[in-house]
Amino acid sequence: MISLKEALKLDNNGIVELRKELKEKIKANSHLGAYIEQLTNAELSDEYSGIPIAIKDNIQVKNWSITSCSKILQGYIAPYNATVIEKMLSRGLAPFGRTNMDEFAMGSTTESSFYGKTLNPLDNAYVPGGSSGGSACAVSAGIALAALGSDTGGSIRQPAAFCGCVGFKPSYGRVSRYGLAAYSSSLDQIGPITRSVEDAAILYDIIAGYDERDTTSANVEFVSTADKLDANKKYKIALVKNYTDEASDEVKNSIYLAANKLKEAGHEISEVSLSSAKYAIAAYYIIATAEASANLSRYDGVRYGRRGEAESLGAMYATTRGEGFGAEVQRRMLLGTFVLSSGYYDAYYIKAQKARAFISKAYESVLEGADALLMPVAPHAAYKFGELKDPLTAYLSDVYTVSVNLAGLPAISVPVSKNADGLNISAQIIGAQWEEQKVLDIAASLERACK
């Protein structure tokens, strides 16, 4: 499969052949379930012509069925394009296939999808990660040139790490959220999943920038990164030692190996510590579920999507939501409603927001003496299906990613090694807000060193 950079040089005939080749590969790999079309035996849409980019099923594409992989949105047809789709179309790129995901982006395995699970292309017995597991699987398996995902607490970086590709989460507000089905509005961010850092920078440049239709979009100057990507530039990089040492032995050894490779490449490596990750997990799941309970209240069977059969309005609400939402979504909405309820708002939600401010300042402090941080993406490589049956254990697997979203920082996952089972292990590079160029430069240097 050619790179996105190479695809941008194709003429019309070349793009037509590329799309034809991709369709054949997608059909041949239907067992992976990376695309919803693979799971529902549907044909890939040719409504939009251009260089094909896979799209996560929570990003609006006009005239497509966009369902966030939920039963409650069956029958909904998107009436407009998300801003990122409009930006892609203006640059000759086109949406091509809906990738599978955890329902409403709530999960880390892609098992909660209404359509069924996606497999890890490196070993089908293992999860691809989530919630953007379909996007990561498609890119890793060579059945997508590149893909868009969304990252609320690691949902781009973790599946990219599990599947062995590059996942980039820009600074909060750098890419428009207009047209993204909201999970947690103060945390969600769209970003690229690709096979190389350079392709990630190219796709990021295309979708980034201020959007007046998104009230959370940052009205700050945007400067392109791909044309300035420099793997030879030297930076000060701080290894987050306490997070790395708390990971599994195979992950810990891989991150230290990555640090040594960066040092050999001429970067200055130091060690720092961050406050306990348990605070970040607690703050994240209180804030994210609280916002989710508010955002998902719109799905009631009245305005759009599936409607449950009932004899009264109240019963219709209850039936629609009870039948339409899966177990994980219901669990998170209940938790969010609880922490926002009278008597618990101050005890939980306000305290979580204070913890969020503390975490942001902690990142600001350590990044004052370094250009970027280096640490694991997850405490372990991909795990087998059914291995994490306890929801709390699954939540704790996000321990190294959620704090980045709480602070609104840019971060990227880059493959650095394989474990004994042949599964991928990635390192995570985190920068200060709006410092995407530094993050991408270091990622390119690490990618080159580890190849």
Side-chain angles (χ1 to χ4, degrees):
M1 180 58 63
I2 64 173
S3 67
L4 176 58
K5 181 180 180 180
E6 292 167 332
L8 286 166
K9 299 175 184 176
L10 294 174
D11 59 17
N12 287 336
N13 289 335
I15 293 172
V16 170
E17 286 301 311
L18 173 62
R19 293 170 68 92
K20 181 180 176 182
E21 177 191 346
L22 258 181
K23 279 189 176 182
E24 291 172 354
K25 284 187 174 182
I26 290 168
K27 286 182 180 178
N29 290 275
S30 61
H31 67 285
L32 292 174
Y35 291 89
I36 291 169
E37 288 86 351
Q38 291 176 318
L39 294 162
T40 59
N41 297 316
E43 288 294 319
L44 288 157
S45 172
D46 280 319
E47 181 176 353
Y48 298 94
S49 60
I51 297 167
I53 304 295
I55 306 297
K56 190 176 180 180
D57 189 42
N58 61 349
I59 299 172
Q60 303 292 301
V61 180
K62 189 176 181 179
N63 296 328
W64 281 19
S65 172
I66 300 296
T67 67
S68 294
C69 288
S70 178
K71 183 177 181 180
I72 205 167
L73 274 175
Q74 297 304 303
Y76 169 75
I77 303 298
Y80 68 99
N81 280 326
T83 295
V84 292
I85 301 299
E86 293 290 351
K87 283 177 174 284
M88 281 173 38
L89 291 168
S90 71
R91 296 286 295 275
L93 277 59
F96 191 78
R98 296 184 291 147
T99 55
N100 201 21
M101 57 181 279
D102 283 298
E103 183 183 8
F104 281 106
M106 299 182 190
S108 54
T109 67
T110 313
E111 289 177 280
S112 68
S113 168
F114 168 73
Y115 302 102
K117 65 186 180 183
T118 296
L119 309 181
N120 189 320
L122 303 180
D123 189 325
N124 294 173
Y126 290 80
V127 303
S131 62
S132 307
S135 294
C137 172
V139 172
S140 175
I143 55 175
L145 216 65
L148 290 185
S150 64
D151 192 310
T152 306
S155 289
I156 287 175
R157 291 160 287 153
Q158 184 249 33
F162 280 9
C163 292
C165 40
V166 174
F168 181 42
K169 186 203 87 71
S171 300
Y172 180 76
R174 182 63 96 180
V175 176
S176 173
R177 292 174 46 255
Y178 180 77
L180 173 68
Y183 164 19
S184 178
S185 302
S186 72
L187 301 169
D188 298 336
Q189 186 63 87
I190 296 172
I193 297 178
T194 58
R195 281 194 299 281
S196 71
V197 173
E198 184 176 30
D199 276 358
I202 290 169
L203 187 49
Y204 160 70
D205 284 351
I206 290 172
I207 64 173
Y210 173 66
D211 179 15
E212 62 182 11
R213 293 177 296 182
D214 174 13
T215 57
T216 62
S217 181
N219 192 3
V220 295
E221 182 186 8
F222 170 71
V223 180
S224 61
T225 61
D227 56 342
K228 303 174 187 64
L229 195 63
D230 188 355
N232 296 311
K233 197 170 183 180
K234 310 307 176 191
Y235 289 99
K236 293 180 179 179
I237 304 167
L239 171 70
V240 184
K241 182 174 171 54
N242 60 322
Y243 281 20
T244 304
D245 289 346
E246 291 167 5
S248 67
D249 287 342
E250 59 187 13
V251 170
K252 179 176 72 173
N253 294 337
S254 296
I255 300 304
Y256 277 109
L257 176 66
N260 287 334
K261 286 185 179 291
L262 286 169
K263 187 174 183 179
E264 290 170 3
H267 300 281
E268 182 182 327
I269 305 296
S270 60
E271 293 182 351
V272 296
S273 290
L274 280 171
S275 56
S276 176
K278 67 182 181 182
Y279 301 126
I281 285 284
Y284 170 81
Y285 275 101
I286 289 172
I287 293 169
T289 57
E291 293 183 2
S293 73
N295 281 326
L296 271 63
S297 65
R298 71 192 70 176
Y299 304 110
D300 54 13
V302 174
R303 285 159 285 193
Y304 39 72
R306 184 181 178 278
R307 176 179 297 178
E309 295 294 329
E311 295 181 356
S312 67
L313 183 62
M316 188 270 286
Y317 287 155
T319 302
T320 297
R321 293 167 67 81
E323 293 177 351
F325 290 128
E328 183 58 37
V329 174
Q330 291 188 35
R331 184 181 296 116
R332 296 194 190 201
M333 286 194 300
L334 285 168
L335 177 58
T337 302
F338 172 77
V339 300
L340 290 176
S341 61
S342 177
Y344 297 101
Y345 182 84
D346 290 343
Y348 291 102
Y349 187 74
I350 295 298
K351 191 173 289 185
Q353 291 290 8
K354 290 178 179 178
R356 181 180 194 168
F358 172 79
I359 290 163
S360 295
K361 292 218 175 271
Y363 270 113
E364 286 178 19
S365 178
V366 296
L367 284 167
E368 284 177 0
D371 294 303
L373 305 179
L374 175 69
M375 68 183 199
V377 178
H380 42 68
Y383 41 85
K384 289 185 177 180
F385 284 103
E387 196 171 323
L388 294 186
K389 293 180 180 179
D390 174 30
L392 184 57
T393 306
Y395 296 168
L396 291 172
S397 68
D398 298 331
V399 65
Y400 298 138
T401 52
V402 296
S403 61
V404 175
N405 296 76
L406 289 168
L409 306 179
I412 192 169
S413 62
V414 181
V416 294
S417 68
K418 302 276 189 182
N419 72 359
D421 297 318
L423 297 168
N424 181 71
I425 296 174
S426 288
Q428 181 175 202
I429 298 161
I430 303 163
Q433 195 171 41
W434 320 129
E435 296 286 359
E436 279 82 1
Q437 187 70 61
K438 291 180 180 179
V439 170
L440 290 164
D441 284 351
I442 295 168
S445 180
L446 179 59
E447 179 181 58
R448 185 175 66 183
C450 290
K451 277 186 177 177

